[in-house]
């Protein structure tokens, strides 16, 4: 059992989403009191949608936020409705901006001509912002965090990666055909994620049950399960619903 992880289980997705939003909002307030800003790391995917819906109702114009998304397909146009840029704009950036909260929203550029240069720029931008205060993560059925697929090194940095076949398969539900599903992405590295001051991992639904039970049964990190590196971090919160925990 991963004793360092602080695990909470909620009865359903709605409660999980509300509690996650409250947790994030509390951290934003605390961090704001100390330094007048807050730097968040943000995920895409189905899991965080409920949390974003709640969070945008809590954040108002007294907050200054800087956010860094975990990953983006590469290459992809920003206005492609499957890009993570598009997802974030719809789920968070636009709703937040309409509450006049002041934000600087960052995401790897899927249109960059030179992906290596873009990865370095992104790492530097995180450093320049003073690092990430709270990183919010989902988890893939294969244990990936961001697009850090099985085999990712614990000290890996933001880089261009090949997306695992099982992830391509999982992502294909959003595309018209397998041929359209991107095979590469720019992702923050495991090392980049582990430098965040605090981490909140979210998992919901039956499809996450196997990976969560595998993760919680581990005694030490396993390179084939990228999320298992979280055991080495002192401040990781895991929010589950009962279907993911059962
Ligand atoms: P999901 O994706 O929230 O859509 O399940 C999570 C992930 O693959 O990281």
């Amino acid at each position: 059992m991963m004793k360092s992880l602080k695990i909470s289980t909620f009865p359903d997705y709605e409660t999980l989403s509300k509690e996650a939003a409250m947790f994030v909002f509390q951290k934003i307030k605390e961090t704001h009191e100390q330094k007048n800003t807050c730097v968040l790391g943000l995920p895409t995917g189905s899991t965080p949608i409920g949390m974003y819906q709640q969070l945008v109702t809590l954040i108002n114009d007294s907050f200054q936020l800087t956010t860094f998304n975990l990953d983006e397909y590469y290459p992809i146009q920003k206005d492609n409705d499957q890009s993570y840029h598009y997802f974030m704009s719809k789920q968070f950036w636009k709703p937040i901006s309409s509450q006049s909260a002041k934000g600087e929203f960052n995401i790897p550029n899927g249109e960059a001509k030179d992906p290596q240069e873009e990865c370095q720029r992104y790492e530097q931008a995180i450093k320049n912002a003073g690092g990430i205060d709270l990183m919010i993560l989902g988890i893939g059925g294969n244990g990936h965090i961001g697009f850090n697929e099985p085999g990712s090194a614990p000290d890996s940095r933001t880089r261009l990666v090949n997306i695992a076949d099982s992830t391509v398969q999982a992502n294909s539900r959003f595309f018209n055909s397998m041929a359209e599903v991107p095979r590469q992405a720019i992702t923050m590295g495991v090392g980049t994620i582990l430098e965040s001051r605090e981490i909140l991992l979210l998992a919901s639904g039956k499809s996450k049950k196997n990976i969560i039970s595998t993760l919680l049964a581990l005694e030490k990190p396993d390179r084939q399960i990228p999320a298992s590196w979280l055991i080495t971090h002192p401040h990781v919160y895991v929010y589950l619903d009962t279907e993911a925990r059962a």
Side-chain angles (χ1 to χ4, degrees):
M1 172 67 146
M2 288 187 161
K3 295 204 178 56
S4 62
L5 305 179
K6 298 167 200 48
I7 301 160
S8 306
T9 309
F10 302 101
D12 50 35
Y13 177 70
E14 208 193 328
T15 317
L16 165 75
S17 301
K18 272 196 190 136
E19 293 290 335
M22 286 305 298
F23 180 94
V24 175
F25 183 58
Q26 199 53 38
K27 292 292 165 197
I28 294 173
K29 278 205 300 195
E30 279 170 26
T31 312
H32 228 266
E33 275 162 24
Q34 292 158 18
K35 53 180 194 183
N36 248 354
T37 184
C38 180
V39 182
L40 295 176
L42 297 177
T44 50
S46 311
T47 313
I49 291 177
M51 177 198 72
Y52 286 133
Q53 282 169 353
Q54 298 289 330
L55 193 55
V56 297
T57 66
L58 300 171
I59 297 175
N60 57 39
D61 60 357
S62 53
F63 293 104
Q64 167 73 46
L65 281 184
T66 301
T67 68
F68 287 92
N69 266 83
L70 267 170
D71 49 13
E72 174 62 287
Y73 291 127
Y74 186 85
I76 199 159
Q77 298 294 311
K78 290 177 183 152
D79 60 4
N80 182 321
D81 63 7
Q82 291 308 323
S83 77
Y84 291 172
H85 188 282
Y86 188 97
F87 173 101
M88 288 308 296
S89 180
K90 180 173 163 203
Q91 300 294 342
F92 195 64
W93 303 336
K94 275 194 188 141
I96 283 283
S97 302
S98 70
Q99 324 252 74
S100 45
K102 293 167 283 300
E104 189 202 303
F105 307 124
N106 301 279
I107 188 163
N109 182 4
E111 298 179 7
K113 288 215 171 54
D114 180 340
Q116 316 301 345
E117 201 176 282
E118 172 59 10
C119 293
Q120 281 170 16
R121 182 199 68 79
Y122 204 65
E123 278 281 328
Q124 192 57 46
I126 296 172
K127 285 205 178 75
N128 294 348
I132 294 170
D133 294 303
L134 175 65
M135 178 87 236
I136 306 159
L137 299 173
I139 183 170
N142 64 356
H144 75 195
I145 45 177
F147 275 119
N148 293 286
E149 302 287 16
S152 297
D155 59 354
S156 51
R157 313 303 308 185
T158 302
R159 68 206 187 286
L160 183 67
V161 293
N162 294 326
I163 302 174
D165 290 346
S166 62
T167 308
V168 170
Q169 189 67 43
N171 292 350
S172 67
R173 69 191 194 276
F174 299 115
F175 292 84
N176 296 324
S177 70
M178 282 301 282
E180 284 177 33
V181 190
R183 300 296 206 269
Q184 286 197 304
I186 293 175
T187 184
M188 279 187 204
V190 177
T192 321
I193 292 169
L194 291 176
E195 279 170 13
S196 310
R197 291 178 193 95
E198 292 187 283
I199 298 174
L200 173 65
L201 176 81
L202 307 175
S204 162
K206 288 194 196 84
S207 65
K208 299 296 162 67
K209 194 178 123 175
N210 283 346
I211 188 62
I212 293 297
S213 64
T214 304
L215 180 67
L216 299 187
L218 285 172
E219 300 284 347
K220 55 183 174 40
D222 175 339
R223 205 168 167 135
Q224 289 313 308
I225 304 177
S228 69
W229 294 111
L230 298 175
I231 194 178
T232 63
H233 191 287
H235 304 294
V236 180
Y237 301 82
V238 179
Y239 275 24
L240 306 170
D241 61 14
T242 42
E243 282 193 344
R245 184 68 195 269

